[in-house]
Amino acid sequence: MPQLDFTIAFPQIFWLFLSFFLLYSIIVHVFLPIFVKSFKAWKKLVIANNESFNHLQKQLHLKQTSLITLLNQNIIKIRTTFEKNILPTFTSDTTFDFDLINQKLAKVLYYNTLYCDLNVLDSIPLKPKFLNLRSFNDK
Amino acid sequence: MVEGSNPSSPDKINNYTINMSTFLISSPLEQFEIVTILPLTLLGLNISLTNSSLFLGISLFICIFWLVLSFYKVTLIPSNWQLAQETFYSLTSNIVKDNLGFKGEVYFPFILTLHSLLLFCNLVGMVPYSFTVTSHIIFTFTLALSIFIGINIIGVRTHGFKFFSLFLPKGVPLIIMPLLVTIEIVSYIIKVFTLSIRLFANMTSGHTLLKIIAGFSWTMLKAGGLLAFFHIIPLALLLILIGLELGIAALQAYVFTLLTCIYLNDVLDMH
């Protein structure tokens, strides 16, 4: 077995130590600082991303809150206007034709009920234009 | 005429046949022979450049080249090489972190060097007609012995005289103490041999097996006829074994590094 020939031991040991220390020095002095820099950059990037995400989330929350407040204020305004200005007009004006409004409302309800039926809706054939290739090509 | 000088004598013919067969079907262990390329001496010591040192140098060069290539252009979105390098770095740092914790940070550069050197030596050895540096017991044993000596120095420097309590577990009855101390010392010392022989034996056996299968396939091909056709079977087996050997090459480098960390942890964190 060539491995058990110990006359060639010393050169192997010498070159092993030399190579190992060479690689060790290169890794410690050249590559480890680059590795650390790269990993630190990654960490910083993740932190920066998290910060910007939190900032955006806060801004969105603030906007949503202000929107809800504004909507509520406007609804209250509409209600106040309706109660103060429009409703008294209807109640005080005896000539106002309420039947007409009632009829229109009844019509809306009737058609809604009629066409909101699932069976009725299913029975209506819908043909999308893009599937109607023959007629499309014929044109 | 002197006996045996006849060129057509049976002895000569037999020797010729043996020489021819050894020339054609070389020994599977021939690949591990060390050949001196450039004889060198330093202060009377033999430091010749051999095929082993040449391939060690090649492994070293490829390792450094890979590191340079990985970080040629460092970007926040890593390139494939950079990603491979950073995965390797993370793997090694995880070995250190899991086994040694934060106190093992100091030894990280050494562990990284050891892991990368062994990995590249093993992988370069997988290239056909190259030389596997780690298939030599002298190489692996020197590495393991140096690590063992280093670990002992670290242990003595960290714990002082208490370091020797490593050989005596707590709560042992006095009567079996000598026996247990002997067993502990033997098992402690034997680590050097197991560490080195594991790597050497894995590499040697794997490469020998590959050579045998390749030789078998070649012999079948030379035989001609149907055998030549069926040489594809050992060839396919060889391909599978090469894949397996590549896995073993990476795994053995990992195991050597992992065990070094475990042995280092044993002396740092004593019971």
Side-chain angles (χ1 to χ4, degrees):
Chain A
M1 211 171 176
Q3 282 99 327
L4 300 175
D5 177 17
F6 286 97
T7 52
I8 37 86
F10 192 76
Q12 272 184 290
I13 296 166
F14 172 77
W15 288 106
L16 165 66
F17 280 122
L18 191 74
S19 313
F20 195 89
F21 284 111
L22 191 69
L23 186 63
Y24 182 81
S25 331
I26 291 171
I27 282 181
V28 168
H29 294 289
V30 181
F31 291 109
L32 273 183
I34 303 173
F35 293 161
V36 172
K37 207 193 274 177
S38 159
F39 278 98
K40 269 187 182 173
W42 273 20
K43 262 189 186 174
K44 273 185 182 171
L45 188 75
V46 170
I47 290 166
N49 274 348
N50 278 339
E51 275 177 1
S52 61
F53 172 73
N54 286 336
H55 180 69
L56 282 175
Q57 210 176 20
K58 264 184 189 174
Q59 271 191 335
L60 188 74
H61 184 70
L62 274 173
K63 275 183 183 172
Q64 275 181 338
T65 318
S66 62
L67 184 73
I68 288 165
T69 319
L70 198 69
L71 273 173
N72 281 335
Q73 278 174 356
N74 284 343
I75 286 166
I76 289 165
K77 258 184 197 172
I78 291 165
R79 193 179 170 173
T80 320
T81 319
F82 189 77
E83 278 176 356
K84 277 184 181 173
N85 304 330
I86 300 167
L87 206 63
T89 323
F90 286 154
T91 46
S92 60
D93 189 4
T94 48
T95 58
F96 194 80
D97 190 9
F98 280 100
D99 283 345
L100 191 69
I101 294 172
N102 282 342
Q103 271 177 13
K104 282 194 185 289
L105 277 171
K107 221 175 186 178
V108 168
L109 277 171
Y110 172 74
Y111 284 119
N112 258 344
T113 322
L114 194 67
Y115 291 108
C116 280
D117 185 9
L118 203 66
N119 292 324
V120 175
L121 280 174
D122 279 343
S123 68
I124 300 168
L126 287 170
K127 286 182 180 171
K129 202 175 177 182
F130 70 92
L131 284 177
N132 201 0
L133 295 171
R134 184 180 285 177
S135 60
F136 187 76
N137 287 334
D138 289 344
K139 280 176 188 176
Chain B
M1 189 182 263
V2 183
E3 200 183 333
S5 62
N6 184 4
S8 59
S9 70
D11 284 352
K12 277 261 177 177
I13 291 164
N14 279 343
N15 283 339
Y16 179 73
T17 319
I18 289 162
N19 286 338
M20 274 307 284
S21 64
T22 48
F23 174 71
L24 289 172
I25 309 158
S26 53
S27 160
L29 294 175
E30 195 197 315
Q31 58 179 315
F32 304 116
E33 264 172 25
I34 288 196
V35 182
T36 306
I37 298 166
L38 185 71
L40 290 170
T41 48
L42 182 75
L43 305 169
L45 294 165
N46 178 19
I47 54 156
S48 303
L49 189 78
T50 58
N51 55 351
S52 169
S53 45
L54 179 72
F55 278 95
L56 182 63
I58 291 171
S59 309
L60 198 74
F61 174 75
I62 293 173
C63 180
I64 294 165
F65 182 69
W66 181 56
L67 290 168
V68 172
L69 192 74
S70 310
F71 285 92
Y72 176 62
K73 267 186 183 175
V74 186
T75 48
L76 281 174
I77 301 162
S79 62
N80 287 344
W81 285 113
Q82 194 183 335
L83 198 65
Q85 173 54 41
E86 280 174 4
T87 313
F88 178 72
Y89 180 95
S90 305
L91 178 77
T92 317
S93 86
N94 281 341
I95 299 174
V96 176
K97 211 183 283 174
D98 293 345
N99 292 291
L100 298 169
F102 284 106
K103 63 182 179 299
E105 272 181 342
V106 189
Y107 309 108
F108 177 71
F110 168 71
I111 300 293
L112 185 71
T113 313
L114 183 72
H115 194 186
S116 41
L117 184 74
L118 286 176
L119 181 72
F120 277 92
C121 283
N122 288 353
L123 290 178
V124 165
M126 283 307 296
V127 178
Y129 295 103
S130 71
F131 184 86
T132 321
V133 185
T134 44
S135 68
H136 271 255
I137 186 76
I138 296 160
F139 183 90
T140 55
F141 185 74
T142 310
L143 205 59
L145 188 69
S146 323
I147 289 165
F148 181 72
I149 293 167
I151 284 172
N152 282 322
I153 293 167
I154 291 164
V156 172
R157 278 186 68 175
T158 316
H159 302 287
F161 191 67
K162 278 184 186 172
F163 171 71
F164 295 100
S165 70
L166 191 73
F167 306 116
L168 188 67
K170 271 181 189 169
V172 178
L174 195 68
I175 192 132
I176 60 161
M177 210 178 268
L179 183 72
L180 205 75
V181 168
T182 317
I183 292 168
E184 283 288 329
I185 289 172
V186 169
S187 71
Y188 185 73
I189 292 167
I190 219 156
K191 280 174 185 175
V192 190
F193 298 96
T194 55
L195 195 63
S196 55
I197 290 169
R198 184 181 295 110
L199 182 60
F200 145 74
N202 268 293
M203 288 297 115
T204 306
S205 61
H207 285 76
T208 311
L209 184 67
L210 289 183
K211 184 72 186 277
I212 290 167
I213 303 286
F216 184 54
S217 181
W218 177 243
T219 315
M220 277 174 86
L221 186 68
K222 272 199 310 177
L226 204 62
L227 270 176
F229 175 74
F230 282 112
H231 92 282
I232 204 141
I233 297 167
L235 209 64
L237 184 70
L238 184 72
L239 200 71
I240 296 164
L241 281 173
I242 286 172
L244 185 78
E245 275 305 309
L246 276 170
I248 288 173
L251 190 75
Q252 285 307 316
Y254 177 80
V255 167
F256 197 99
T257 318
L258 182 73
L259 286 172
T260 305
C261 281
I262 291 170
Y263 297 157
L264 191 59
N265 185 49
D266 284 348
V267 296
L268 286 174
D269 258 348
M270 283 170 66
H271 49 262

